[in-house]
Amino acid sequence: MSDVPPPGHPALAGGPVYLDYNATTPVDPRVAAAMLPHLTDFFGNPSSGHPYGAGPRQALAEARVQVAALIGARADEVVFTGSGSEADLLALRGAVIASGRSRPHVITQVTEHPAVLETCRALERLHGARLTVLPVDGDGMVVPEALAAALTHDTVLVSVMAANNETGTLQPIPELAALAHDFGALFHCDAAQAAGKIPLDVEAQGVDLLTVVGHKMYAPKGAAALYVRGGVRLEPVVYGGGQEHGLRAGTENVALAVALGTAARLAADEPADGTATRVASLRDDLQRRLTEALPGRVHLNGPASGRLPNTLNVSIDGALGHELLASADQIAASTGSACHSGNHTPSPVLTAMGLEPARALGALRLSLGRWTTQADIETAAAALVKAAAGR
């Protein structure tokens, strides 16, 4: 299998310019090629002791090593799951129930993904947890002093995402994790958007639990993993035969694990081959083209630095985001989180950052990826400028 990315993706040929990589990514053909034999020839159960189980068992182990290498973990600290939401559930519910506390305290922040926020609310409703939801500043960042003030010796878990899916804002994870540990709390980080886009090292970040999602980094949907630091106790999310270190029973989907492992290996090589730098340059060129063509009307939502290299969230004065995208049919993008697509109310993320409703409703999330080209940026900028010019 070649490590050189194909010059174009067949799924994007002839279609609109794809600028919604934060919602999902096309499956890399190299990933599809790696998983295909495990859908056809290597069908055995990896727990079987006979020869048909040997190939799947070896492939599963190799995939675990590849995912661990992407985040600086040990292979035995990787638990495969069926989605990022499931990984978040295992981390949060698992830590709270395993704590044995009658009134465990959990802390998260207001712009987290619903997979975390709704799990926290369920823990509050079903397991007697006490929940603190921290605010964010105008750039969408958690202020460490706010976390320090919220922590108590009853806090069992803090969950803060590495990067926001709408604005790309990067959180100060090492500082937040250190504060949590000062109070004996575990720290979980949903790195769904960050993994594969920026370097991640669980030791440097200081996290105890970390979520990785395949379809955000060119693997199929349904492939994800949770990093569980050695020694951390969790209540299982699925009970049964003891697979995945006893935390997630059920015969493993080897094909999807191989896909996630291959995607992780390819992503680990991208900082060295300049992909992130190229994508950041294209993102900045898109912002420059919009700003110059629509002077005084384009406003960046989130920090100018300290964000993902592929993410541009902007509002255009006098225009609603969903109307702009409806007019600019040459591009496929989002007005905010894909989970809220079609709901034309101000984004909860942008609202939490203090943006007024008109600006939040005018927001566009333009997220680039592995197959974004300079021609794509020129087409997208021209289409958006044309759509906005008459408003």
Side-chain angles (χ1 to χ4, degrees):
M1 180 181 64
S2 172
D3 281 342
V4 179
H9 196 288
L12 302 176
V17 172
Y18 189 68
L19 293 178
D20 209 14
Y21 281 83
N22 283 8
T24 197
T25 55
V27 176
D28 191 301
R30 296 166 293 177
V31 171
M35 71 182 291
L36 182 59
H38 299 280
L39 295 172
T40 54
D41 299 336
F42 302 112
F43 66 90
N45 188 322
S47 296
S48 297
H50 51 65
Y52 288 105
R57 185 163 56 252
Q58 181 179 350
L60 191 65
E62 182 180 356
R64 212 180 299 278
V65 168
Q66 291 170 324
V67 173
L70 177 67
I71 57 174
R74 300 195 315 261
D76 63 358
E77 296 175 315
V78 173
V79 176
F80 289 118
T81 68
S83 67
S85 295
E86 184 193 333
D88 289 344
L89 175 65
L90 173 57
L92 274 65
R93 176 186 176 275
V96 164
I97 295 180
S99 74
R101 305 277 186 90
S102 59
R103 291 281 287 159
H105 181 220
V106 178
I107 301 175
T108 188
Q109 57 92 21
V110 67
T111 65
E112 282 294 314
H113 191 278
V116 168
L117 289 170
E118 292 306 316
T119 296
C120 287
R121 290 174 183 132
L123 291 170
E124 188 177 34
R125 187 173 67 251
L126 301 174
H127 296 285
R130 292 179 294 115
L131 175 63
T132 298
V133 180
L134 300 175
V136 294
D137 65 16
D139 284 332
M141 291 184 63
V142 174
V143 179
E145 289 76 12
L147 174 59
L151 285 160
T152 75
H153 290 290
D154 290 325
T155 306
V156 298
L157 180 73
V158 177
S159 182
V160 177
M161 61 175 25
N164 187 265
N165 46 308
E166 292 189 39
T167 63
T169 299
L170 302 177
Q171 299 290 355
I173 298 300
E175 188 173 357
L176 300 177
L179 288 170
H181 292 156
D182 286 344
F183 281 80
L186 295 174
F187 192 94
H188 166 251
C189 180
D190 184 334
Q193 290 294 341
K197 295 174 184 161
I198 60 173
L200 282 178
D201 185 285
V202 292
E203 293 298 328
Q205 297 292 310
V207 301
D208 303 292
L209 302 152
L210 183 134
T211 297
V212 175
V213 178
H215 80 98
K216 306 296 187 182
M217 57 180 194
Y218 310 99
K221 300 160 190 68
L226 179 69
Y227 158 75
V228 183
R229 184 182 295 279
V232 171
R233 290 180 56 251
L234 299 177
E235 181 71 13
V237 71
V238 180
Y239 305 95
Q243 293 90 346
E244 297 305 304
H245 314 306
L247 294 175
R248 202 251 190 184
T251 303
E252 299 91 343
N253 190 322
V254 177
L256 285 177
V258 167
L260 181 59
T262 303
R265 181 177 64 78
L266 295 173
D269 294 337
E270 287 201 333
D273 70 18
T275 298
T277 301
R278 180 185 68 83
V279 169
S281 178
L282 290 173
R283 175 203 65 186
D284 293 343
D285 184 45
L286 177 56
Q287 183 178 352
R288 178 187 61 78
R289 288 172 181 270
L290 294 175
T291 301
E292 291 180 355
L294 300 167
R297 294 181 61 190
V298 179
H299 306 282
L300 177 66
N301 300 321
S305 58
R307 60 181 158 134
L308 292 173
N310 79 314
T311 304
L312 176 64
N313 191 304
V314 293
S315 295
I316 299 177
D317 285 346
L320 296 175
H322 69 276
E323 291 181 354
L324 282 178
L325 292 182
S327 297
D329 58 3
Q330 302 96 319
I331 66 172
S334 173
T335 57
S337 169
C339 298
H340 303 109
S341 183
N343 182 7
H344 305 312
T345 58
S347 156
V349 169
L350 300 182
T351 299
M353 291 165 54
L355 272 63
E356 60 186 33
R359 179 164 164 180
L361 286 169
L364 299 170
R365 182 185 70 174
L366 308 169
S367 50
L368 292 63
R370 188 171 286 169
W371 284 282
T372 307
T373 66
Q374 182 63 46
D376 289 337
I377 296 304
E378 293 170 5
T379 298
L384 288 171
V385 169
K386 181 179 178 182
R391 298 178 187 275

